[in-house]
Amino acid sequence: MHPLRQAPTSAIRDVIDFLRGETGFIYTAKARELSKKGFKVINFGVGQPDFPTPKHIVEEAKKALDDGFTGYTEVAGIPELRQAIAEYLNERYGSDVKPDEVIVTPGAKAALFLAFAAYIRPGDEVIIPDPSYYVYPEITKFLGGKPVYVPLKWLGSERGFELDVDAIEKAITSKTRAVVINNPHNPTGALFTPKEITKIFEIATERNILVIVDEIYDNFVYEGDFKSFISFENWRDYVVYTNGLSKTFSMTGWRLGYLVVRREIASRLTKLAVNVWTCATSFVQRAGVKALKGDWGPVKEMIETFRRRRDIMVSELSKIDGVAVWRSRGAFYLYPNIRKVLDKLDTDVETFANRLLEEKHVVLLPGTVFSETDFGRNFIRLSFALNEELIVEGVNRLKSFIYEHKKL
Ligand SMILES: Cc1ncc(COP(=O)(O)O)c(C=O)c1O
């Protein structure tokens, strides 16, 4: 008999099975099935702009292909793109990033993976504001670390969400390796204030912990001041910074992101990158240079459109009894508290989302997608990356769903 009880292919590590996947994609798959059956599905679950990638960027990729720019590139990215990224950050945030502190990655997720893989050892604690983008806790667990959740403060529909800086400080132990800050914030649409960001940076320097930064929504700011972690003079000692082109330039499928970290670490991280993906796609990198250095007009137009949509969505949702919606300041999401609705319907947020999809063909994400704790049970996330007509119709369907039922 074979000494192994399992077939080798079954001997997959348990940790893989425990990873939470992108539930958003599961809802989208269900929505696609309904669409195929001929239903008009309205999808508030999407995490990507509904605009096409600007034409000049597409043309540049085509040109790179025609030029035969199709081989491997430098592991850390083509020099022109690393330079363009450094210039973009420095111009925008007054920083002094050098091109050799930039690593280009296939999407921001890959940059996040590099950041976590480089620093998180088994047993390390990683402080994560709750709710959060699901990748941070899942990669932490994959690496043997422990997510330590610190809830955001929910201050109601007038004031929205705040970082609980004191609670973050209190959560630090001798095992804390890092705190993760995503600003503007997915899923709440919060824009943390310069004061909150500065305080987190001070705590990191005093307590000697790393800040893993995700600023992928840095162009999606509708009001208020945005303070980037890369703008602190001594960021090099405390910050691993990630960002990407996916959202800003409507390039989610192109897979282009980047990580910024001090030079010595960057050169060591390329050793990990070369073992996993070698380099980001060659012609996509050329298009990335064009995106950063070319015409920003389409991006500006998109942000203005998103601002209008956000306002319409807030005003429509506010008309529904029991929905407490805060006008988000960043990203392209609203994160209303629907506790009263759930109590009235005597149901939980996941059943609510599933039934809404089945009966009204409206996709939204239950807050539990972004939270392993109780926090998510009271909230839903809606993306406003769809046109105004669909927003109004979708919220109307949501409203009639809530009013038509006494109990789910
Ligand atoms: C907060 C946050 N970070 C990172 C990403 C991933 O970006 P990319 O598609 O470039 O990997 C997303 C995508 O939804 C996100 O919301």
Side-chain angles (χ1 to χ4, degrees):
M1 205 174 66
H2 196 280
L4 289 175
R5 262 185 271 134
Q6 293 171 315
T9 48
S10 306
I12 185 168
R13 291 174 59 200
D14 289 350
V15 64
I16 304 278
D17 292 329
F18 293 123
L19 292 179
R20 286 180 302 151
E22 176 124 47
T23 318
F25 288 136
I26 298 171
Y27 281 89
T28 304
K30 279 193 204 167
R32 209 174 289 134
E33 264 174 47
L34 285 168
S35 298
K36 268 196 208 147
K37 288 184 188 159
F39 295 110
K40 182 182 175 192
V41 176
I42 297 183
N43 191 351
F44 292 134
V46 286
Q48 60 185 348
D50 57 329
F51 284 64
T53 306
K55 228 180 168 65
H56 62 285
I57 302 174
V58 175
E59 290 306 322
E60 186 69 13
K62 285 186 187 165
K63 188 167 168 297
L65 282 169
D66 287 340
D67 291 347
F69 192 66
T70 54
Y72 294 129
T73 71
E74 293 84 346
V75 175
I78 58 174
E80 306 90 290
L81 182 54
R82 295 173 84 193
Q83 174 87 35
I85 291 167
E87 279 171 13
Y88 161 74
L89 292 171
N90 295 343
E91 231 169 73
R92 203 176 164 94
Y93 300 123
S95 50
D96 59 347
V97 171
K98 307 284 186 295
D100 60 3
E101 294 175 313
V102 176
I103 303 179
V104 177
T105 56
K109 265 185 187 167
L112 285 167
F113 179 77
L114 271 191
F116 281 79
Y119 285 99
I120 309 307
R121 298 166 174 80
D124 281 354
E125 293 178 356
V126 178
I127 296 176
I128 304 174
D130 183 34
S132 84
Y133 185 49
Y134 66 95
V135 162
Y136 320 134
E138 298 317 291
I139 297 301
T140 298
K141 287 184 271 180
F142 178 72
L143 296 164
K146 183 178 161 213
V148 174
Y149 295 111
V150 175
L152 292 182
K153 287 196 232 169
W154 162 244
L155 303 170
S157 53
E158 289 300 314
R159 292 172 59 203
F161 297 90
E162 266 179 17
L163 269 184
D164 194 339
V165 176
D166 291 338
I168 288 176
E169 187 162 22
K170 284 200 188 98
I172 296 172
T173 70
S174 57
K175 291 186 180 155
T176 305
R177 172 79 52 193
V179 56
V180 183
I181 302 292
N182 167 218
N183 191 33
H185 184 252
N186 178 10
T188 63
L191 176 70
F192 302 127
T193 62
K195 202 170 149 200
E196 289 169 300
I197 296 302
T198 304
K199 192 80 195 72
I200 293 288
F201 189 73
E202 280 168 12
I203 292 170
T205 57
E206 279 158 20
R207 305 294 295 270
N208 208 25
I209 57 173
L210 183 73
V211 193
I212 299 179
V213 173
D214 178 349
E215 293 184 357
I216 195 159
Y217 294 104
D218 65 345
N219 280 285
F220 297 82
V221 172
Y222 307 109
E223 57 251 349
D225 295 331
F226 174 74
K227 169 94 180 154
S228 172
F229 273 95
I230 210 74
S231 66
F232 292 108
E233 208 178 317
N234 50 340
W235 65 269
R236 285 183 181 80
D237 292 330
Y238 302 97
V239 171
V240 182
Y241 177 92
T242 68
N243 201 329
L245 282 73
S246 298
K247 315 280 176 175
T248 301
F249 300 102
S250 264
M251 291 176 75
T252 49
W254 295 64
R255 313 308 301 133
L256 197 57
Y258 55 91
L259 174 141
V260 181
V261 69
R262 60 188 302 158
R263 179 183 294 125
E264 314 85 271
I265 309 291
S267 62
R268 288 164 70 187
L269 283 187
T270 54
K271 290 190 188 170
L272 179 55
V274 76
N275 275 281
V276 191
W277 54 73
T278 304
C279 61
T281 306
S282 54
F283 49 90
V284 166
Q285 293 188 56
R286 280 264 290 265
V289 176
K290 189 74 176 183
L292 289 166
K293 298 180 83 139
D295 177 13
W296 277 70
V299 176
K300 293 202 175 106
E301 248 175 64
M302 178 175 73
I303 304 298
E304 280 319 301
T305 306
F306 277 21
R307 185 201 304 279
R308 269 201 313 279
R309 291 168 169 184
R310 174 201 63 164
D311 291 344
I312 289 169
M313 203 174 202
V314 170
S315 104
E316 292 300 307
L317 284 167
S318 309
K319 294 177 190 159
I320 308 178
D321 290 341
V323 174
V325 59
W326 172 68
R327 190 182 305 271
S328 60
R329 299 221 164 115
F332 38 79
Y333 309 110
L334 294 178
Y335 201 65
N337 183 312
I338 59 160
R339 183 72 262 155
K340 287 187 180 155
V341 171
L342 297 173
D343 285 346
K344 175 189 131 256
L345 299 177
D346 190 20
T347 192
D348 61 83
V349 72
E350 280 156 7
T351 309
F352 179 87
N354 280 313
R355 291 280 299 276
L356 177 72
L357 176 55
E358 281 162 23
E359 293 176 30
K360 298 286 182 190
H361 311 133
V362 172
V363 182
L364 48 75
L365 299 183
T368 45
V369 168
F370 306 95
S371 189
E372 291 189 292
T373 71
D374 279 346
F375 198 105
R377 294 184 206 282
N378 301 326
F379 293 88
I380 48 176
R381 192 194 79 171
L382 299 102
S383 155
F384 43 86
L386 64 177
N387 74 43
E388 293 169 18
E389 208 179 300
L390 290 173
I391 288 176
V392 173
E393 183 179 341
V395 177
N396 276 333
R397 288 194 207 174
L398 172 68
K399 185 173 170 181
S400 48
F401 175 77
I402 293 172
Y403 290 177
E404 278 165 21
H405 289 285
K406 283 213 157 55
K407 189 172 162 33
L408 286 190

